[in-house]
Amino acid sequence: MYFATWYNQHKNNWWALPLILPALMLPLAVWFNANTIMEGGRVFLIYMPLGLLTAFVMVFGWAALPGIVLALAIRYIPLKGELVTMLAIVHFLLPLSLSFAAYRTFVPRRHAVTFGVISLTLQRMFWLVLFNSALFLFIYQIGLFFGWYDPFLSLVSESPLHPRTLINFQAVLVGTLTGMPFFYFIIRMIRNPHFVFSFRSRMRRQAQRGVTKTEMWLWCGLMALLVNLLILPLGDSTSIFRTDYTLTLILPVMLWGAMRFSFLFITNIWTIILIILCSGFYHYLPPDMGFQLHLAIASSCYATFSITIYMMAAVTTRQRFLHAKTRRAAFTDPINQMPNLRALNRDIGRHCWSALAFLSIPELELLGRNYGVFLRIQYKQQLAEYLRQSLIADEKVYHLSGYDLAVRLNYESHEERIEAIDRRVKQFRFIWDGMPLQPQVGISYCYVKHPVSHLYLLLGELSTMAELSLTTYRPENLQQQDSNRVQNTVKSKVAMMNRLQIALDRGNFTLMAQRIEGMRGDSYHEILLRMQGENGALFSPDSFLPVAHEFGLSSRIDHWVFEATLRFMDKSREQLPGCRFAVNLTPASVSRMQFPSEVKCLLEKYNIEPWQLIFEVTESNSLTNIDQANVTLTALQRMGCRVAIDDFGTGYASYARLKNISADILKIDGSFIRNLLTSSLDYQIVESICKLARMKKMQVVAEYVESEALKDAVQRLGIDYMQGYLIGYPQPLESLLQTAESEI
């Protein structure tokens, strides 16, 4: 145990593996060489030592140099003596050092990463292969010129342009190109035996999707057949396979492998095949009829094939990697890093039956506005991770837009699994800045069968059921409920949303006006909105405003109503001089910081005085940002407009809210006015509201005044304005012009 720990700590030091391995592996690289005699000199078809030593420098860096020197000394001293050994050491170290230094200069980071990275391929091919090999041969040429080497054993001839020099250069080039990655992986495996498993897993990941064992064995069998036909001819006599042209049959098969299999697999297999082909070249290169020419052609084929296979494998592997990365990005939300709706649709298609759970956390929207969107991201990520602990291998949690999540479960025992998820969700605690948060989660579920062509509609139904779950505090089964009713509800919402969008685009709205009469003789009109439907039907705000708020269209509707009102006032300023109108605002508009500036721009555009406008605001549960609402309403008041609180006394409107909101007018809800004469409690409530309004110097408007008796009671309470059918019915806004003309 102690030795293993010591070995792992010191194995990369220059006096450990970098010193020992070169001496052990250099004879192997020399044994892989293939050479012959041509025109009184030695020529190589493949030369591997330079590729081996370059691989050592890549793995160990400069720490490999002492081991390289030792390996060369052990190799050459018994054969050539000390002087030639010194020349050989300088001959190898100079191109290795210069090429590696240049490579490290242009690739300072991750220079020793495994082969197949396309961004490093060109740098390695230029500096570690081409530049390294050319400098190695150039030094040989200089040594031959000064008489340092035996012309017979030298890799170059006296003339640099001699075919022998070209063949040897191609041999060094091919040996470095193929040998460097081949020996690199062997060295990595010796240094760390666990690299074998990493190497195998990388080969599998780099392979094309859909590659089968049958295809792999077919390719290996075809390649073995071609190699055997080349190096083991059918007979001693000349055959169609005893020719260098037969080498071209190997290229398309290797390109097939390069495009289908991994870069790591194909480059190492090609190195082994190349060593075999070069070692048995005399079997398929005819010894007569221009042996020199055939040898040059074969050497060129080795070089061309190696570069082509190397680049094709690198490019196709890179393309597969990018395709897989793009595919992962398409099925993963870029912010939450969770499977998205597209992934859910894909996974449902992979299973015949599935159970689908829908988790709705509406309070996340409020928490996100107060604490930032990062809280929502963290909550969904931590809740998803918490739920994954109770899921099996192929079950996942999916991110949906907004504050929703989805869980796909296997169909078996899905109801019990849903109950377990519900219990687990209730146990989940989210900590934000040391503060525990536990927003309520609504859960709905159903089972589905592949194919599901209506997933988006189904999620809408589940969302509706999840809202019901927030009130029942238990998971709701879509199949046990009236699914047709839920589906019709969702369809009606979508249909209403489409009508709203079309109405906003085309201006298919009608403005109505209802008179509000003052006790002192003055009056103004409240603008009421109707949406035009088919066949001349009109939709009241109660039917489309909730949908507009849910789909985020309420602010656009407010803007349309406000501008249409100003446009009418501008056109009718001669017939209706000094007219005043009350325009309703939704909470979404009141909560927008830009709204006061937009009002100011429109008032200037249509030349309307601010005192002619009254903005009515109804408090509701959606008016959550009270601070911003106060800022908006105060800005409107400073501009000269007036602000009214509508439907006071019901819903979320309360005395506590009234203390915090600045307003000029208080409109008492009609439910109190209608029973003013028959209910002493309603009378006391209205009277207290009037006293409170006077204390805050606010005017009071009574709604639903529909009889003379109610009018008299309202007058006795000192209410300033009245609104109701007794005062006037809602009528088209344009009819005010006709009324004004008739009065004239």
Side-chain angles (χ1 to χ4, degrees):
M1 180 64 69
Y2 174 77
F3 176 77
T5 304
W6 179 88
Y7 174 76
N8 289 328
Q9 291 177 350
H10 302 286
K11 63 183 178 181
N12 293 321
N13 294 335
W14 69 269
W15 45 265
L17 287 181
L19 187 67
I20 299 172
L21 283 182
L24 297 177
M25 296 184 64
L26 184 59
L28 178 65
V30 174
W31 184 66
F32 286 157
N33 290 340
N35 60 83
T36 186
I37 305 299
M38 188 184 75
E39 294 185 356
R42 184 174 59 171
V43 293
F44 285 85
L45 278 81
I46 187 170
Y47 185 80
M48 303 294 287
L50 186 61
L52 170 68
L53 301 182
T54 305
F56 272 111
V57 176
M58 278 199 63
V59 175
F60 296 108
W62 301 115
L65 295 184
I68 293 174
V69 172
L70 179 63
L72 293 173
I74 295 174
R75 169 70 182 170
Y76 284 102
I77 286 179
L79 298 176
K80 304 295 181 180
E82 291 79 0
L83 180 60
V84 176
T85 300
M86 292 295 296
L87 290 174
I89 291 174
V90 174
H91 191 166
F92 276 95
L93 288 185
L94 190 59
L96 282 174
S97 301
L98 292 178
S99 61
F100 185 68
Y103 172 70
R104 285 295 307 274
T105 301
F106 289 95
V107 186
R109 297 179 64 252
R110 304 183 74 239
H111 66 279
V113 74
T114 188
F115 287 78
V117 180
I118 195 68
S119 59
L120 302 180
T121 299
L122 293 179
Q123 295 285 356
R124 287 174 174 172
M125 290 186 67
F126 180 78
W127 293 112
L128 300 181
V129 177
L130 181 60
F131 179 77
N132 195 9
S133 303
L135 188 58
F136 184 78
L137 267 295
F138 179 71
I139 295 175
Y140 248 121
Q141 195 72 46
I142 295 176
L144 185 63
F145 176 77
F146 287 103
W148 297 340
Y149 298 117
D150 184 354
F152 177 79
L153 299 177
S154 175
L155 290 177
V156 295
S157 62
E158 295 180 355
S159 174
L161 302 180
H162 195 274
R164 178 182 161 200
T165 303
L166 174 63
I167 294 174
N168 282 325
F169 174 71
Q170 293 176 155
V172 175
L173 188 71
V174 171
T176 307
L177 176 64
T178 59
M180 181 173 58
F182 180 74
F183 290 117
Y184 171 89
F185 295 118
I186 294 178
I187 296 170
R188 289 285 302 271
M189 292 175 188
I190 295 174
R191 188 176 70 166
N192 183 11
H194 292 288
F195 182 76
V196 175
F197 304 103
S198 174
F199 182 79
R200 184 175 61 181
S201 63
R202 287 178 182 176
M203 283 199 302
R204 291 178 177 177
R205 289 198 304 267
Q206 289 182 358
Q208 177 70 37
R209 292 172 60 91
V211 172
T212 61
K213 291 183 179 180
T214 303
E215 181 181 357
M216 179 70 75
W217 284 111
L218 177 62
W219 182 88
C220 292
L222 183 58
M223 183 55 64
L225 176 63
L226 290 176
V227 173
N228 284 328
L229 288 176
L230 283 172
I231 64 174
L232 298 175
L234 298 178
D236 295 333
S237 59
T238 302
S239 69
I240 60 173
F241 299 105
R242 293 179 62 89
T243 170
D244 48 3
Y245 295 110
T246 311
L247 283 174
T248 57
L249 298 176
I250 292 181
L251 181 60
V253 180
M254 288 301 302
L255 291 181
W256 168 23
M259 290 185 292
R260 295 287 293 173
F261 311 139
S262 67
F263 173 89
L264 300 179
F265 173 80
I266 205 66
T267 52
N268 286 281
I269 288 295
W270 171 244
T271 303
I272 297 172
I273 293 174
L274 190 61
I275 293 173
I276 296 173
L277 291 176
C278 293
S279 300
F281 71 94
Y282 49 86
H283 289 294
Y284 55 87
L285 293 183
D288 50 0
M289 299 177 59
F291 176 70
Q292 175 180 329
L293 177 61
H294 288 287
L295 198 63
I297 293 175
S299 177
S300 300
C301 287
Y302 300 149
T304 304
F305 290 1
S306 298
I307 296 174
T308 303
I309 294 168
Y310 192 99
M311 291 302 299
M312 180 63 72
V315 170
T316 53
T317 302
R318 178 62 175 175
Q319 287 178 340
R320 285 194 291 270
F321 171 77
L322 293 177
H323 177 73
K325 185 177 180 180
T326 304
R327 185 177 179 85
R328 287 194 301 271
F331 292 102
T332 305
D333 182 77
I335 299 178
N336 295 72
Q337 296 300 311
M338 294 169 56
N340 56 15
L341 183 58
R342 186 182 289 111
L344 174 61
N345 194 16
R346 176 200 61 188
D347 293 342
I348 289 177
R350 292 176 176 177
H351 300 80
C352 183
W353 287 89
S354 299
L356 188 60
F358 188 96
L359 280 66
S360 178
I361 316 107
E363 294 179 16
L364 273 186
E365 184 176 2
L366 174 60
L367 293 174
R369 285 201 300 265
N370 292 332
Y371 297 100
V373 69
F374 189 63
L375 179 142
R376 184 167 61 186
I377 296 173
Q378 286 287 306
Y379 180 89
K380 297 181 87 171
Q381 289 177 341
Q382 293 185 24
L383 178 59
E385 183 62 30
Y386 188 73
L387 292 177
R388 287 191 197 102
Q389 300 174 10
S390 62
L391 304 180
I392 61 178
D394 59 342
E395 297 176 342
K396 296 179 182 179
V397 182
Y398 302 87
H399 164 75
L400 302 179
S401 60
Y403 41 78
D404 301 327
L405 293 172
V407 183
R408 195 210 66 82
L409 304 172
N410 293 334
Y411 180 72
E412 295 79 9
S413 304
H414 69 276
E415 293 187 352
E416 292 80 2
R417 301 285 306 282
I418 293 294
E419 295 293 337
I421 288 178
D422 180 54
R423 291 192 299 269
R424 195 164 182 83
V425 168
K426 288 181 170 62
Q427 296 171 0
F428 176 70
R429 297 297 183 271
F430 178 71
I431 307 299
W432 182 259
D433 289 339
M435 178 176 58
L437 301 175
Q438 190 183 9
Q440 188 178 355
V441 181
I443 302 178
S444 60
Y445 65 97
C446 67
Y447 58 86
V448 295
K449 181 181 180 181
H450 173 72
V452 180
S453 58
H454 57 287
L455 179 60
Y456 299 99
L457 183 60
L458 178 63
L459 290 175
E461 298 174 3
L462 289 173
S463 176
T464 303
M465 295 306 300
E467 294 178 3
L468 177 62
S469 173
L470 292 171
T471 59
T472 60
Y473 302 102
R474 61 181 176 83
E476 295 292 338
N477 188 345
L478 181 62
Q479 272 87 14
Q480 291 181 355
Q481 299 290 336
D482 187 358
S483 59
N484 290 330
R485 179 183 59 82
V486 176
Q487 186 174 6
N488 291 335
T489 301
V490 175
K491 286 183 177 179
S492 63
K493 281 187 178 181
V494 174
M496 183 59 71
M497 189 271 291
N498 290 332
R499 292 193 195 99
L500 270 173
Q501 191 65 58
I502 294 173
L504 284 170
D505 294 338
R506 301 178 181 178
N508 293 343
F509 290 105
T510 299
L511 293 183
M512 310 290 287
Q514 186 176 21
R515 180 182 175 85
I516 300 177
E517 185 178 285
M519 299 299 181
R520 292 177 294 273
D522 60 325
S523 64
Y524 64 94
H525 291 80
E526 180 182 0
I527 298 297
L528 304 176
L529 182 65
R530 303 290 186 268
M531 185 175 68
Q532 300 174 8
E534 299 177 356
N535 301 323
L538 294 179
F539 292 93
S540 64
D542 294 338
S543 61
F544 62 82
L545 281 184
V547 178
H549 175 72
E550 183 176 350
F551 288 94
L553 299 175
S554 55
S555 293
R556 291 184 58 188
I557 294 176
D558 288 348
H559 187 276
W560 188 94
V561 172
F562 181 60
E563 187 169 9
T565 303
L566 294 183
R567 191 182 303 114
F568 172 79
M569 296 171 68
D570 181 34
K571 292 181 179 179
S572 59
R573 64 176 67 249
E574 293 183 0
Q575 296 92 331
L576 300 172
C579 60
R580 293 189 299 158
F581 291 98
V583 179
N584 289 277
L585 294 182
T586 60
S589 297
V590 178
S591 300
R592 291 177 58 238
M593 296 178 57
Q594 302 85 354
F595 185 74
S597 60
E598 294 175 358
V599 170
K600 183 177 181 181
C601 292
L602 289 175
L603 289 176
E604 293 176 353
K605 177 181 178 181
Y606 293 101
N607 194 22
I608 303 299
E609 295 296 329
W611 59 265
Q612 295 181 261
L613 291 173
I614 300 171
F615 290 101
E616 294 190 3
V617 181
T618 302
E619 289 199 283
S620 65
N621 60 334
S622 57
L623 186 57
T624 55
N625 196 344
I626 298 298
D627 294 335
Q628 180 58 47
N630 283 332
V631 172
T632 301
L633 298 179
T634 302
L636 294 175
Q637 288 176 313
R638 290 176 179 175
M639 199 182 303
C641 302
R642 306 189 74 189
V643 174
I645 298 179
D646 196 11
D647 297 334
F648 184 81
T650 61
Y652 285 81
S654 64
Y655 292 101
R657 288 285 184 94
L658 186 60
K659 290 170 56 179
N660 301 321
I661 292 182
S662 176
D664 304 291
I665 300 173
L666 198 64
K667 297 188 69 174
I668 303 176
D669 187 75
S671 60
F672 298 107
I673 303 298
R674 182 185 292 114
N675 300 321
L676 191 63
L677 300 177
T678 59
S679 173
S680 59
L681 179 60
D682 287 345
Y683 189 91
Q684 294 296 329
I685 291 175
V686 173
E687 186 177 27
S688 65
I689 293 175
C690 293
K691 290 180 180 179
L692 177 63
R694 294 190 190 99
M695 291 176 61
K696 295 205 66 174
K697 300 180 181 179
M698 300 171 62
Q699 293 181 322
V700 181
V701 177
E703 299 179 325
Y704 284 65
V705 178
E706 299 176 351
S707 65
E708 290 292 341
L710 279 177
K711 180 178 179 181
D712 294 338
V714 165
Q715 288 176 339
R716 287 194 299 270
L717 286 171
I719 293 177
D720 303 283
Y721 291 92
M722 295 176 293
Q723 181 180 10
Y725 291 161
L726 179 66
I727 309 302
Y729 284 88
Q731 55 183 329
L733 185 59
E734 300 292 337
S735 64
L736 297 182
L737 298 177
Q738 301 174 1
T739 303
E741 292 177 357
S742 63
E743 292 178 356
I744 295 175

